[in-house]
Amino acid sequence: EGQTPLKVATLFRNREWRLIAAVLQEAQVNPPPSASRRSRQTSWDRFALQITLVKGDQLKALDLFQESDPYCACCISNPPGFVRSKTIEKASAPQWNQILMLRINLVPQYLRVEVWDDDFGKTKDDFIGAGTVNLSPLVADTKQRLETLALDSNNAEDPELPETELWLEIQAGGRFTGKVMLKVKIRKMKPLRL
């Protein structure tokens, strides 16, 4: 309870799996008091944020005498969620071409993307930098599109929803440390049957 996405991301980075499971279980078992059981089910289980991590460019090398081994960690706050990409070895311009998914509530929020240098357990992973994406316009466009389509709650189809493609500038300590190309889209998921 009271865990911020950054604290949860830190737990993932430190590979504290039991604490992560407890935090995520607590978030599902004890939602905010204002949320009813019905609204929690429809908002937590109907939509997912699809993050297509395309590539990176000009990523700062943190390994001695060689390029970094970068991976990305992405997190959102509502509901708290975290996902990690695969590691690309020895690359300042990695090609991830990977799709990552997070459950999302259709409320204004930010996506935080952190880039790390994987040290494969030898030492603690090095922080290359981070950037944030304001998801509010995408959420608003998605809501408007869904209203236009007049989808009912039993429709399990995945309608064509807006997608945003961008180059995200990565910074550490206010300094440019690279950029990441990604696409974000909200997808309608099949309703949860209890």
Side-chain angles (χ1 to χ4, degrees):
E1 185 174 324
Q3 296 287 336
T4 65
L6 186 57
K7 288 180 184 176
V8 173
T10 302
L11 293 175
F12 270 94
R13 184 184 73 229
N14 295 335
R15 296 176 173 90
E16 297 181 29
W17 308 120
R18 288 190 180 128
L19 290 174
I20 293 163
V23 167
L24 295 177
Q25 180 66 29
E26 180 69 22
Q28 287 181 324
V29 172
N30 297 319
S34 62
S36 71
R37 181 172 170 83
R38 174 122 175 99
S39 68
R40 184 176 75 239
Q41 288 176 351
T42 58
S43 63
W44 281 33
D45 295 320
R46 287 189 57 203
F47 298 96
L49 178 66
Q50 176 180 305
I51 306 159
T52 304
L53 192 58
V54 181
K55 61 185 175 180
D57 193 29
Q58 302 171 11
L59 295 179
K60 184 177 179 181
L62 296 179
D63 288 339
L64 195 58
F65 306 117
Q66 60 184 350
E67 294 179 340
S68 296
D69 306 304
Y71 68 88
C72 288
C74 304
C75 64
I76 58 172
S77 59
N78 195 347
F82 172 90
V83 67
R84 181 193 190 278
S85 75
K86 61 187 175 186
T87 298
I88 305 296
E89 294 186 34
K90 297 176 181 52
S92 63
Q95 300 284 325
W96 284 288
N97 295 316
Q98 184 177 11
I99 295 176
L100 310 170
M101 301 286 277
L102 287 167
R103 287 188 198 176
I104 189 170
N105 290 337
L106 295 183
V107 297
Q109 59 183 302
Y110 290 86
L111 167 68
R112 179 173 171 86
V113 178
E114 296 182 351
V115 182
W116 292 85
D117 174 26
D118 197 338
D119 289 330
F120 303 101
K122 297 173 189 167
T123 60
K124 195 172 183 180
D125 293 351
D126 301 312
F127 180 69
I128 296 175
T132 56
V133 178
N134 183 356
L135 296 176
S136 299
L138 181 64
V139 168
D141 289 349
T142 299
K143 283 182 175 180
Q144 182 179 9
R145 179 77 174 131
L146 288 171
E147 288 172 7
T148 303
L149 294 172
L151 295 172
D152 65 9
S153 62
N154 294 324
N155 189 347
E157 293 179 23
D158 186 14
E160 197 56 42
L161 296 174
E163 181 176 61
T164 302
E165 181 177 330
L166 62 121
W167 275 102
L168 179 63
E169 187 173 296
I170 302 299
Q171 295 186 356
R175 294 189 176 158
F176 176 83
T177 55
K179 56 186 180 177
V180 173
M181 177 186 263
L182 53 101
K183 299 175 188 177
V184 289
K185 176 181 183 174
I186 296 174
R187 299 193 62 163
K188 183 174 184 288
M189 307 304 284
K190 292 181 181 177
L192 178 66
R193 303 270 186 222
L194 294 179

